[in-house]
């Protein structure tokens, strides 16, 4: 019977999560050929996206106030942050499949919070190479730009990377919460998540009003890479967003997570109410 | 749908007796129509796809128009109006032109159930392509048309009103859809020889979009990359139909690029046909 | 934890006025309300073994989801193992095991043994407890020979035994089984039933199972709850249920030569004949006679080529109960 004395021992709150994740990593890397293919294709996709920027900047010197060096830094921060979030949290967009297969009901039978279980139910190891592409762009971007290095700048970069990763992770979770209502239309949330990823690598100063409303404020994508770079390099920035806003990247993460947890909570309520 | 893609008539059924050609057309017309109806079953996904295409449309328009402005009002042969049309039309075609490389046939070859398809008195290549094209054409209704309407109403896109240009544009779009599924058939048909076609599929996904002009028009490429792209069928999937529909390429030049599309359709069809024959022999040898 | 587990010492399930309504889309945008569970009141004591039966759509799965905290009741109260399922879900998860016939708790691409290692971590079992409990379940459910096999390669019977072990790994006080024997062959069913009886005898585990197979009920359950359209229609022993309607099994015999209807076999009723009397069906009550006795009575009169025994179907019992109740 449920004797508390027999539990514990090798405990630690992370043990259940670690057990699942460790076995997921083993399972993914066990098919070596397939795994190598995934690693390679992640790099290729990253390179093609970089190539797009390069092709565009062959014809122009600057876009929206950013030259190629600056936009490389934007791409580096955005891609590193998004790919890291994708590695740890990206699979939550499989929620519709979990709902159809009843896997979520099984999560209810385990003594951990549902969202924590969903996030740790999988890890996409194949994205590490994509993070590598982002980091390379970031390092090159830092080297080719004229940056007055100081401990503050280093701290700023670390904070921005963490905050942006959290913003994208929150975006994934918010999308999952919405999918409780839109089981058949996960492409709709993908529009915001992957549109957000694409938007994050752009100079936000070129956006029209609808995009400013969507990716400037509602989903604070401009805060993940563009605004911090503008602040870091001391660029003029967009007229609708003063450059000091780049310091508010952590606030964007907090805002995204507030929305994400609300969306998740509402979604779970809807599911438990039988609307799923 | 009254679509009978011209180049397909040059298929192997050419040598069938008279009357067989009309039977062939009727059967494939039915397959096309059944694919079209199947497309109608995924309405939720179509709506989601529409939202995604519109979002990306806005993002592309803003960055590409900024690039045209920075380039002094012209970029790789595109002025502002042309680049806006480019951004919207590429999103409008994205729901119908297969740039992902995935088809049901790949799974059927992998699990061996294609053997059943090969026993039927229908050519596997033409039959699956007809069904897939039918399904893709349906996507023009919930995704293609609304995006074009939206692009015109709020996106600042202008389209030519001359019926001859529009008709040629429509033909070019249909050829692009057909060509994409003939190419994806080649991707699936590699499964006759390899156990896992996912590698080829992923490669197709990465290369086709880039060389078709999904990210930026191919004309912006540096000379060597531009030449490389033109040596592939991929520009015929997006760049060509977009240029013809928007009227950026017109007159004899338009007829020329559509002619290139037709040539690619014929060539890719022939390769697929040979691969099917060889694949069938390989299955027969293995099965015997 | 300690106080709550003593509270669950007496009752496993306590349900009062439990109601669950769903809004379903009927036509276009019109929505109508459907009552899946309607004012259900029942108590299951600790250590009981209860069959929860009813026709399809009678509200069984909905009830189980409310017991597990997956669905919120529209009205009424639920206590499972002394806890409020929705509010205390995580605490309840330590005392409740559920086997869903249709959804798997195992990792399909991993060997069965690895699923148990993960579940032991999920339930924070001590290394010693994990070893002992896994060994016990592996032995009694005979999982040893396919413990290293990925779950997706298991047969249905193997997988179901694996699922039962997964639900019992953390030694829950209450085990709920939703259609555990559906699709299993006779031998697999038998093994599973024997295991559940043994598990209950060894640990006093409370069992609640939904099933379409009266064989499950007659071998496993001392008490039967019958639901009809979300309401409790019968609560009592299987014998009592049989007395009301006769939970009869059917002997089907194929004869060597066509024969007239086999009337007048003791404690058996002739249901019908096919093929001009080549195949005949006789219903008999388990309480009054045995299949062997009916068969020997038949064999005295005609030559039997082949035979089979059909278990009574829950749907059939339910139909007859309603007929008997004059509904």
């Amino acid at each position: 019977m449920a004797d508390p004395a027999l539990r514990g021992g090798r405990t630690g709150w992370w043990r259940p999560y670690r057990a699942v994740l460790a076995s997921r990593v083993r399972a993914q890397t066990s098919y070596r050929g397939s795994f190598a293919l995934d690693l390679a294709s992640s790099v290729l996709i990253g390179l093609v996206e970089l190539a797009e920027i390069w092709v565009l900047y062959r014809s122009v010197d600057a876009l929206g106030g950013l030259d190629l060096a600056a936009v490389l830094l934007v791409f580096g921060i955005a891609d590193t942050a998004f790919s890291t979030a994708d590695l740890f949290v990206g699979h939550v967009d499989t929620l519709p499949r979990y709902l159809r297969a009843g896997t979520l009901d099984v999560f209810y039978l385990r003594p951990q919070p549902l969202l924590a279980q969903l996030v740790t139910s999988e890890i996409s190891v194949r994205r590490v190479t994509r993070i590598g592409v982002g980091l390379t762009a970031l390092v090159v971007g830092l080297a080719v730009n004229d940056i007055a290095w100081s401990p503050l700048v280093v701290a700023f970069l670390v904070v921005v990377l963490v905050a942006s990763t959290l913003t994208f992770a929150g975006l994934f979770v918010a999308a999952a919460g919405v999918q409780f209502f839109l089981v058949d239309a996960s492409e709709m949330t993908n529009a915001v998540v992957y549109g957000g990823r694409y938007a994050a690598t752009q100079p936000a100063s070129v956006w029209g009003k609808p995009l400013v409303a969507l990716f400037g404020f509602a989903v604070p994508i401009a805060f993940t890479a563009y605004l911090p770079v503008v602040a870091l390099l001391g660029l003029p920035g967009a007229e609708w967003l003063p450059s000091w806003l780049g310091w508010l990247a952590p606030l964007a993460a907090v805002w995204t997570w507030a929305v994400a947890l609300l969306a998740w909570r509402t979604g779970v309520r809807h599911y438990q109410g039988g609307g799923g | 749908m009254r679509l009978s893609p011209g180049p397909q008539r040059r298929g192997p059924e050419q040598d069938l007796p008279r009357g067989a050609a009309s039977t062939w057309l009727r059967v494939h017309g039915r397959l096309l129509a059944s694919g079209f109806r199947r497309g109608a079953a995924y309405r939720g996904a179509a709506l989601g796809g529409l939202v995604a295409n519109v979002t990306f449309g806005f993002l592309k328009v803003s960055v590409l128009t900024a690039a045209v402005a920075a380039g002094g009002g012209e970029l790789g042969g595109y002025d502002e109006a042309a680049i806006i049309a480019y951004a919207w039309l590429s999103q409008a075609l994205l729901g119908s032109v297969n740039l992902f490389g995935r088809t049901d046939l790949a799974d059927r070859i992998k699990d061996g159930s294609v053997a059943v398809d090969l026993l039927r008195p229908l050519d596997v290549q033409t039959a699956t392509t007809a069904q897939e094209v039918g399904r893709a054409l349906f996507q023009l209704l919930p995704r293609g048309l609304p995006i074009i309407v939206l692009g015109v109403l709020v996106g600042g896109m202008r389209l030519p009103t001359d019926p001859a240009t529009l008709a040629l544009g429509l033909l070019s779009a249909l050829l692009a859809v057909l060509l994409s599924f003939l190419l994806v058939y080649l991707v699936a048909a590699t499964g006759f020889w390899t156990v896992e076609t996912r590698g080829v599929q992923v490669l197709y996904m990465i290369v086709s979009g880039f060389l078709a002009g999904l990210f930026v028009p191919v004309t912006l490429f540096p000379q060597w990359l531009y030449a490389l792209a033109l040596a592939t069928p991929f520009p015929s999937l997006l760049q060509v139909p977009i240029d013809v529909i928007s009227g950026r390429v017109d007159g004899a030049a338009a007829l020329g690029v559509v002619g290139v599309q037709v040539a690619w359709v014929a060539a890719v069809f022939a390769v697929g046909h040979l691969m099917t024959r060889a694949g069938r022999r390989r299955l027969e040898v293995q099965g015997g | 934890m300690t106080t709550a587990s003593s509270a669950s010492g007496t009752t496993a399930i306590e349900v009062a006025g439990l109601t669950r309504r769903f809004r379903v889309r009927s036509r276009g945008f019109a929505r109508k309300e459907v009552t899946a569970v309607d004012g259900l009141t029942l108590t299951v004591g600790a250590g009981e073994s209860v069959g929860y039966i009813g026709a399809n759509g009678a509200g069984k799965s909905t009830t189980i989801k409310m017991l597990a905290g997956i669905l919120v009741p529209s009205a009424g109260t639920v206590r499972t193992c002394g806890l409020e399922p929705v509010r205390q879900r995580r605490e309840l998860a330590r005392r409740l095991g559920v086997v869903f016939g249709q959804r798997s708790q195992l990792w399909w691409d991993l060997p069965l043994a690895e699923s148990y290692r993960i579940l032991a971590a999920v339930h924070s079992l001590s290394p010693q407890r994990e070893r002992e409990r896994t060994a016990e379940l592996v032995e009694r459910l005979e999982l040893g020979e396919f413990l290293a096999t990925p779950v997706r390669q298991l047969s249905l019977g193997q997988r179901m035994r694996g699922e039962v072990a997964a639900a019992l790994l953390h030694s829950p006080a209450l085990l709920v089984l939703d259609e555990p024997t559906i699709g299993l062959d006779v031998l697999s069913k038998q093994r599973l039933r024997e295991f559940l009886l043994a598990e209950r005898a060894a640990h006093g585990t409370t069992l609640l199972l939904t099933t379409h197979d009266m064989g499950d009920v007659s071998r496993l359950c001392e008490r039967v709850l019958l639901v009809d359209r979300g309401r409790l229609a019968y609560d009592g022993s299987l014998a009592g249920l049989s007395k009301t309607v006769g939970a009869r099994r059917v002997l089907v015999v194929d004869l060597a030569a066509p024969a007239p209807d086999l009337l007048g076999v003791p404690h058996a009723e002739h249901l019908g004949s096919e093929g001009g009397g080549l195949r005949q069906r006789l219903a008999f009550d388990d309480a009054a006679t045995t299949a062997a006795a009916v068969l020997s009575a038949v064999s005295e009169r005609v030559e039997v080529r082949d035979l089979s025994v059909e278990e009574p179907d829950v749907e059939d019992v339910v139909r007859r109960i309603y007929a008997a109740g004059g509904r």
Side-chain angles (χ1 to χ4, degrees), chain A residues 37-198:
Chain A
L37 172 73
D38 285 329
L39 291 179
S41 61
S42 288
V43 173
L44 259 178
I45 294 173
L47 290 180
V48 163
E49 285 182 15
L50 263 176
E52 173 194 1
I53 293 173
W54 166 67
V55 166
L56 214 51
Y57 272 89
R58 276 185 66 257
S59 322
V60 299
D61 295 330
L63 267 182
L66 299 188
D67 59 9
L68 182 58
V71 96
L72 203 58
L73 198 51
V74 171
F75 182 90
I77 293 174
D79 221 41
T80 304
F82 185 93
S83 307
T84 309
D86 200 6
L87 175 111
F88 289 108
V89 187
H91 54 268
V92 301
D93 68 5
T94 53
L95 184 71
R97 194 148 31 97
Y98 281 8
L99 292 177
R100 274 190 289 267
T103 310
L104 198 72
D105 291 355
V106 173
F107 286 174
Y108 273 90
L109 304 175
R110 297 180 188 153
Q112 284 85 31
L114 291 176
L115 181 57
Q117 285 190 61
L118 178 66
V119 167
T120 57
S121 68
E122 193 56 88
I123 181 168
S124 311
V125 190
R126 61 180 186 277
R127 315 254 191 242
V128 290
T129 49
R130 184 62 197 266
I131 298 175
V133 173
L135 274 175
T136 308
L138 177 60
V139 168
V140 173
L142 288 173
V144 297
N145 277 289
D146 191 14
I147 294 169
W149 286 99
S150 70
L152 185 66
V153 167
V154 175
F156 177 77
L157 275 171
V158 171
V159 168
V160 164
L161 275 176
V162 171
S164 302
T165 305
L166 285 174
T167 300
F168 285 120
L171 194 52
F172 275 114
V173 170
V178 173
Q179 281 166 2
F180 279 105
F181 299 89
L182 298 173
V183 177
D184 290 329
S186 53
E187 273 196 71
M188 195 124 45
T189 54
N190 283 352
V192 179
V193 174
Y194 294 95
R197 164 192 219 153
Y198 180 66

Side-chain angles (χ1 to χ4, degrees), chain A residues 15 23-24 26 105 112 273, chain C residues 20 89 103 109 114 122:
Chain A
R15 182 182 163 210
S23 89
R24 293 323 301 158
R26 274 197 300 278
D105 291 355
Q112 284 85 31
Chain C
R20 176 68 229 194
R89 178 189 70 77
R103 41 201 70 175
D109 56 345
E114 180 136 357
V122 161

Side-chain angles (χ1 to χ4, degrees), chain B residues 28-47:
Chain B
H28 285 78
R30 284 214 187 127
L31 288 170
L32 194 75
S34 86
F36 192 79
R37 279 192 300 273
R38 261 174 74 203
Y42 303 94
R43 256 169 268 173
L47 181 65

Side-chain angles (χ1 to χ4, degrees), chain C residues 226 233-234 240-247 316-327:
Chain C
L226 180 82
Y234 175 84
L241 186 66
S242 303
K243 221 172 279 169
T244 325
V245 288
D316 181 48
V317 174
V318 171
R319 253 194 317 278
R320 276 186 293 159
I321 251 217
Y322 302 153
R327 293 216 205 187

